[in-house]
Amino acid sequence: MKIILAAIVSVFLSLNTSAQYVKPKPGLVETPYQELPLGSIKARGWLEEMLIRQKNGATGNLDKLYPLMNKRNGWLGGDGDQWERGPYWIDGLLPLAYILNDKALIAKVKPWIEWSIKSQTADGYFGPSKDYPEEAGLQRDNSRDWWPKMVMLKVLKQYYSATGDKRVINLMTRYFRYQLAELPKKPLDNWTYWAKYRGADNLMVVYWLYNITGEKFLLELGELIHRQTFDFTNAFLNTDLLKKKGSIHTVNLAQGMKEPLIYSQAHPSARYIDAAKKGFEDLRIYNGTANGLYGGDEALHGNNPTQGAELCAAVEMMFTLESSLQITGAVNYADQLEKIAFNALPTQVSDDYSAHQYFQQANQVMLTRQMHNFGDNHGGTDICYGLLTGYPCCTSNMHQGWPKFTQNLWYVTPDNGVAALVYAPSEVTTKVAGNVPVTITEETSYPFEESIQFTIKTKAEVKFPFQLRIPKWCTTAVVEVNGEKVSTYKGDQVIKLERTWKSGDVVQLKLPMHIFKSNWHENSMAVERGPITYALKIGEEFTKVSNIKDPEVYGNYTEVRPSTAWNYGLYDVTEAKLNDYFKVEQTGKKSLYPWNLENAPLQIRTTGRKIPSWKLYNDMAGPIPYSHIYGLESDAADENIVLVPYGCTTLRISQFPQVGRK
């Protein structure tokens, strides 16, 4: 009877997918935004198509495609892989399943949840606990490492958000008591060093649980985890960590950058806010590339546009930015989140979501099996598309990007309102002032168009604040309500529309996009418009390779070669002439999947010059010619060239040498 009752309660809670802001418990500060229950936000338009492709691709079928996800996996009680790969997969599959409300995917998730909960022992430990002898391709040792548990804690947090299953609260409470007792004896880096750098994920869940239960020992545990985690605050404020190549693993950095802000919830000092701000600024200056990421292959490796950027770093940095946005409300975190999501993420995974690149390059002109100037080369497969190319952490971890992006499009606010801070076609159902249910539908082709329309549906008139972000790149935004202009707004702020809303009200947000330039490595130039970076359109020839050398390690893969020239430079154009030199065109192509050359909705026509001395080196673009103040010498004639959105490319030049002034 108890089992049946628990199941009924779980089902009831899973239907209660709308909620208002919950005030934090004493000891933690109020944050400007709070995440909605999983399932409250639904993807629409092109974003829904991305999720469906994940469902039909590797995300929904990794257990069939990748043997490490079968019943031998340690997180299903088997003697196979005991470490991070199983939790990584579920960390993306679970939110995908509940956002789509897909019964088959939910059923695929449940065994991992059930085993994890039932694995808990009397002392509070949960997860795999037995090490096994070495076996090629598996991580069967260090089963008790703190790090994989951090990923599963994130999974269980999401599961509770979707279902309200109280067993999660019980498990976490007992496990965190276990951590409080064991960490002094076996600190975060006892088994491996990964947990020391990724403790923010552990701390985040500890604070989340505290805001539910209010048990004081959780704040004590938070202090302990913070002390044992790498000191990112000091590193960003007082060291040259981000100036030195090879100083830190790129994914450790992506995950760890949020630690000062996570910790600031218990210690609201400007020091932690400043540390995060300086960390992001320095990362861009010394390692940044035009796609929103940074050189890290696998360790930090400078800002040369042919350095690799790991796919795990992209999705983990997106999650860090989402977490940072909730805590601070700072517009720059949302801006960079969109930059990565609309540029780096779509190009690094195949259209059918069955293959990926381990590393991508901002300037990427040939994808072949070849050793490159990376800190780590995995048989030369790192930039080829495949299920197992590079290192298989990304095979498991690439799935969280779009589902968590969807989950962070909307937030609730302390004044019982709602906020749209990141833009994509979607629909949210929540509760506002007076616990009144409201549904808001967001219709747009953003980031490919400037207009975003919100339609409000409610059973009764209700007064609540509706917040909208104006990106920094937007000089003047326009807001209309029911066809009447409300006001214009400068960029880099969040605005609040507070009024009595009735069902059928329409809010129109217009974010005029303009061409602008940015400068990067060797004074190279990127062309940007809105949240999108534009890249040279290069002809692409795909070749499927049947791997006979080491298929058990890297599987089969796809190589891509250019069929058109790539070694062009652009003119340094004055601000007054930008619109004359760069002509934006609608291609007229309408597709639910815009992320390839065939379907690219926008393009920019311009002129450039070939640079004959800029040639291939190790099957990649050679060192980028330095663009000094007067440009590069080139006797080549001007040519008409086309730029397309970065996320639509496979081969590209996104950081151009400058060949002169106009």
Side-chain angles (χ1 to χ4, degrees), residues 88-131:
Y88 263 161
W89 176 41
I90 306 304
D91 193 32
L93 179 63
L94 187 145
L96 177 70
Y98 283 100
I99 289 171
L100 292 177
N101 194 24
D102 187 285
K103 293 181 179 179
L105 294 186
I106 292 172
K108 192 167 287 194
V109 163
K110 282 297 182 68
W112 298 80
I113 299 297
E114 293 300 322
W115 187 87
S116 296
I117 292 174
K118 293 173 183 176
S119 73
Q120 191 161 43
T121 54
D123 61 358
Y125 177 86
F126 83 105
S129 58
K130 182 179 179 181
D131 290 348

Side-chain angles (χ1 to χ4, degrees), residues 192-214:
T192 70
Y193 79 108
W194 301 101
K196 178 178 180 178
Y197 287 89
R198 302 176 179 186
D201 287 337
N202 201 151
L203 183 62
M204 173 187 66
V205 182
V206 169
Y207 286 165
W208 172 81
L209 183 65
Y210 172 73
N211 273 333
I212 294 175
T213 68

Side-chain angles (χ1 to χ4, degrees), residues 33-53:
Y33 302 106
Q34 197 171 90
E35 191 176 73
L36 283 136
L38 185 59
S40 302
I41 303 169
K42 301 297 183 185
R44 296 289 183 255
W46 68 258
L47 184 57
E48 183 178 23
E49 175 66 17
M50 297 298 289
L51 300 186
I52 290 172
R53 287 180 181 235

Side-chain angles (χ1 to χ4, degrees), residues 511-526:
L511 301 172
M513 299 180 184
H514 63 281
I515 297 287
F516 59 97
K517 305 175 297 179
S518 54
N519 291 103
W520 305 86
H521 178 69
E522 297 287 40
N523 201 33
S524 59
M525 181 177 76

